[in-house]
Amino acid sequence: MNLQSDSSYPEDFSITPFARFYFQETQEYGAKGFFVEGFAKYVSGKNDIYNSAIYGYRPEKYTAGALGISLGKKWINHSGFVLELLGGVGRTLGNSKVTPDAFFRGDINIGYRF
């Protein structure tokens, strides 16, 4: 959620379910190593659109869905600390002048596995 109403970031709210396929999964540590992720995204927000009637840009609200793919890697050390890097891109479904054509997905996660 974007809680700043004066932000220039075009997304106000998004939800992104995903499914991953790990290539180096082991019984000792479970999901780790290189992975490919498919994701879907539902997003709503405001995007600046040029309006010829007022000869300028004005924000217009939108809602959209997108499908995409990401690549990433998860490292787990013997103590249980986790580092994960992820990058991907999704394409907007449908055709609209207001919605962005594509969405970027990027994550850096640091954690601990119990």
Side-chain angles (χ1 to χ4, degrees), residues 15-29:
I15 186 164
T16 309
F18 60 88
R20 289 185 178 168
F21 177 77
Y22 286 89
F23 291 100
Q24 299 171 345
E25 191 170 334
T26 64
Q27 292 225 347
E28 185 178 344
Y29 288 106

Side-chain angles (χ1 to χ4, degrees), residues 18-91:
F18 60 88
R20 289 185 178 168
F21 177 77
Y22 286 89
F23 291 100
Q24 299 171 345
E25 191 170 334
T26 64
Q27 292 225 347
E28 185 178 344
Y29 288 106
K32 75 168 195 169
F34 177 73
F35 62 85
V36 174
E37 172 185 285
F39 68 90
K41 184 172 191 170
Y42 173 78
V43 62
S44 66
K46 295 181 293 284
N47 203 3
D48 289 334
I49 300 299
Y50 183 75
N51 187 334
S52 60
I54 61 171
Y55 299 105
Y57 289 89
R58 70 180 174 103
E60 289 193 26
K61 290 186 177 185
Y62 71 90
T63 58
L67 293 175
I69 191 164
S70 300
L71 301 173
K73 187 156 184 180
K74 182 189 281 187
W75 294 272
I76 304 170
N77 72 4
H78 294 290
S79 301
F81 287 98
V82 178
L83 172 65
E84 180 180 295
L85 301 174
L86 166 85
V89 66
R91 177 83 167 118

